[in-house]
Amino acid sequence: MSKIPGRQAETGDKPPVTPVLAQIAALIASLSRWWAMTGGVLILILSVMAAASAASNLFFGRPFSADHELVKHVTAIAIFMFLPYCQISGANITLDFFTDGLSERAKQAMSAFSSLFALAFAVLLFVQMLQGFQSYIRFQEVTPVLRLPLWTAFPPILISLALLAAASFINLAEGLRRVQNPQYESGAERS
Amino acid sequence: MNSLVLGLVGLGLLLGLIVVRVPIAYTMLLVGIGGVAIQSGPFIVLNQLKDLAYAQFANYDLSVLPMFLLMGGLAARSGLSTDLFRAAHAWFGRFRGGVAMAAVAACAGFGAVCGSSTATASTMGQVALPELRRYKYSDALATGTLAAGGTLGILIPPSVVLIVYAIIVEVNIVTMFAAALIPGLIATAMFLVTVALYSRFVSGAGPKGEPVSAAELWSASINVIPVLVVFAIVIGGIYAGIYNPTAAAAIGVFLVLAYGVAARRLSLAGIRDSLLDTARTGGMIFLILLGAELLKIFMSRAGVPQAGAEMLQASGLQPMAILLLVIFAFLLLGCLMDSLSMIILAIPFFWPVIAGLDFGLTPNDTKIWFGIIILIVVELGLITPPVGLNVFIISAMAKDVPMRETFKGVMPFFGAEVVRIALLIAFPAITLFLPHLLR
């Protein structure tokens, strides 16, 4: 966690520009990071499980029968958990070359514009996958060995998409604020 | 609207949005969704979105990616790079240009446990740059060697770019890893020769170091055994067919983690940073892959790749001329884009063109051969101006060296790579030998 952005107000001469937005941004950024780290831990656990399964297969001729389905199911969940962090930390690749010469303000405007796309995607996918969740509950599908219902992937995925929407919204709001005021300090970046 | 025209408008929109810095993944996703919605009504695509993303991500073959990313991240923070460089330095240091040669060899060694070029460049840069400075290597040679050496990260298996290629054109990952090994070793040898020639002909660029004692040579060499063991178990196991790439990657994560913790080199902060790196790169790749899937549905219904392939085939050009054109197009793209998004974005358009040509190889061999050539071509994009990611990474470390110097230092290596591409095109057997042997 970073320092509370509002603290400047107590010590500094001039009050921070918009402590509320920056505070929310820092909170969302920190949530995204923890969420992504949890997804990373899932990958780590999966790796240890799959390694143990491969070793068991090698030495005793018996892999864990649920190895494949767990790897698939949990990797999908973990990847969704990565997405909000990718968004808020700017990991999604952009082509900067053609616009490198433009002013800082124009770049901020473009970055705000692009957050709109992430936001639209996150909201659309959230709404559709919520319906997917409902129909997976109604018509149960299960994994072959553990008979783990597939809908179990959807709650963490929906949380990830909600967080992705929040992260894109923060990027959009902070981007717009920076277009207006280049001095604005991003709470997401500081976090 | 004519469906082909719609496809071309979509393609134009895609490029336009990418140019104004909309992330490549989101551009592909929204253009794909929008295009399919126009082609066949919104209902179908909305229905697909209910579980398409889950179905795409829950793919056993793809799960190898986050695991290899994690393995590379952990390896970068376990001090393996330091061991590799120390050993390589003990062997090569005494020669003219020896410290730079050591950097190349250590990059190759690190590439054997890490599938990413940028991770290799930044990890080896941190270790080798101070040494190259200490021995007063010219700025161009020092930074150029590291930027070029970093590309060995994807040229030597495991390789994230190669995995993505294999998944897109539907060729066995094991086969691609086998195909990459000999060309990767050739690249290492050619880079070593490049350093030797550069140090010989540019006076003062790569001074000699002092020879080390037999004891140091021995102890430094012993220290790289963990790296060799990890490579042998992970990649060796894949080649020998003992386990599949996902299981191998999982074993790799476990081994590097266990070694790092047991040797007290991997801190909790190191593990945390590896997890976050995996999240950033993994999330980025999977999102582009999802975008590529939606874009593919849109574009293939519109018939854009087919039209391109037919046009080129009707042009009456020789297959080799078309191949060279495609390589040239990738080189141009590589000047602007990063290697992964380029593979994911462009291969679906260019592969149908190549697949329709006769090079005297079986379709599967063509996939393998073309994949390795393209791997090298996109990797060149990492070291060519104006957008050379590896050069940026090394420049950020050597802040006092103008980026122009680094690009200058990279040029001899670029030349070596062009020679290597020519070799691989002229002799497909170099690439296909190992895959055929393992079949």
Side-chain angles (χ1 to χ4, degrees), chain A residues 35-102:
Chain A
W35 192 242
M37 230 178 314
T38 314
V41 170
L42 286 181
I43 298 285
L44 197 62
I45 294 171
L46 270 187
S47 303
V48 174
M49 188 274 299
S53 168
S56 164
N57 185 34
L58 196 59
F59 298 120
F60 311 111
R62 260 194 304 183
F64 305 161
S65 47
D67 172 353
H68 276 234
E69 66 187 54
L70 273 178
V71 166
K72 277 168 59 170
H73 193 69
V74 180
T75 302
I77 296 172
I79 295 294
F80 275 99
M81 294 174 78
F82 294 161
L83 298 182
Y85 179 65
C86 279
Q87 175 63 27
I88 205 123
S89 65
N92 290 314
I93 290 181
T94 54
L95 178 58
D96 298 344
F97 172 67
F98 293 106
T99 43
D100 247 0
L102 297 183

Side-chain angles (χ1 to χ4, degrees), chain B residues 2-268:
Chain B
N2 177 323
S3 85
L4 186 59
V5 174
L6 177 68
L8 292 175
V9 169
L11 200 58
L13 186 65
L14 182 86
L15 297 178
L17 288 171
I18 289 177
V19 164
V20 295
R21 293 196 185 189
V22 179
I24 293 171
Y26 287 119
T27 322
M28 293 165 88
L29 284 164
L30 292 172
V31 170
I33 294 172
V36 180
I38 296 174
Q39 279 171 334
S40 41
F43 183 74
I44 292 176
V45 67
L46 285 180
N47 212 27
Q48 275 181 318
L49 287 180
K50 285 179 188 170
D51 65 355
L52 178 75
Y54 169 75
Q56 276 282 304
F57 292 174
N59 174 331
Y60 188 76
D61 282 342
L62 276 178
S63 57
V64 70
L65 278 171
M67 289 182 185
F68 268 132
L69 290 172
L70 185 55
M71 175 185 164
L74 291 168
R77 291 170 179 86
S78 302
L80 296 178
S81 47
T82 318
D83 295 339
L84 282 164
F85 183 71
R86 187 179 147 211
H89 186 234
W91 285 94
F92 290 105
R94 71 199 73 180
F95 301 116
R96 192 181 294 176
V99 186
M101 288 180 189
V104 168
C107 282
F110 195 73
V113 289
C114 176
S116 142
S117 279
T118 45
T120 305
S122 61
T123 310
M124 289 313 308
Q126 279 162 20
V127 177
L129 197 59
E131 292 298 302
L132 289 160
R133 287 288 176 81
R134 197 155 68 85
Y135 285 94
K136 305 221 173 339
Y137 273 58
S138 78
D139 288 340
L141 181 60
T143 55
T145 303
L146 287 169
T151 63
L152 294 171
I154 52 170
L155 294 176
I156 292 179
S159 163
V160 169
V161 175
L162 216 47
I163 295 171
V164 170
Y165 174 84
I167 288 167
I168 293 178
V169 304
E170 293 170 349
V171 57
N172 192 329
I173 295 175
V174 180
T175 318
M176 287 315 294
F177 276 10
L181 187 65
I182 294 175
L185 293 175
I186 295 179
T188 312
M190 288 176 78
F191 283 3
L192 289 174
V193 171
T194 307
V195 172
L197 292 176
Y198 194 103
S199 320
R200 169 154 285 276
F201 291 111
V202 182
S203 70
K208 257 185 212 179
E210 53 275 21
V212 296
S213 67
E216 162 66 10
L217 188 66
W218 178 247
S219 108
S221 306
I222 292 286
N223 262 330
V224 291
I225 287 180
V227 180
L228 296 180
V229 169
V230 170
F231 180 74
I233 293 181
V234 175
I235 302 298
I238 295 178
Y239 285 167
I242 301 174
Y243 26 72
N244 62 48
T246 305
I251 293 171
V253 169
F254 175 74
L255 289 176
V256 176
L257 180 72
Y259 169 77
V261 171
R264 296 176 175 277
R265 288 172 143 192
L266 198 57
S267 63
L268 213 53

Side-chain angles (χ1 to χ4, degrees), chain A residues 131-188:
Chain A
Q131 293 180 25
F133 179 37
Q134 287 156 351
S135 70
Y136 269 82
I137 286 190
R138 216 173 310 137
F139 309 100
Q140 293 253 344
E141 263 186 70
V142 294
T143 61
V145 179
L146 291 178
R147 312 205 61 74
L148 188 68
L150 291 191
W151 67 256
T152 49
F154 282 72
I157 290 176
L158 289 170
I159 296 175
S160 306
L161 289 173
L163 202 52
L164 175 62
S168 335
F169 182 75
I170 287 299
N171 283 158
L172 176 64
E174 292 211 311
L176 288 177
R177 185 54 53 89
R178 275 195 180 167
V179 174
Q180 291 168 345
N181 173 10
Q183 256 77 52
Y184 171 77
E185 268 191 73
S186 157

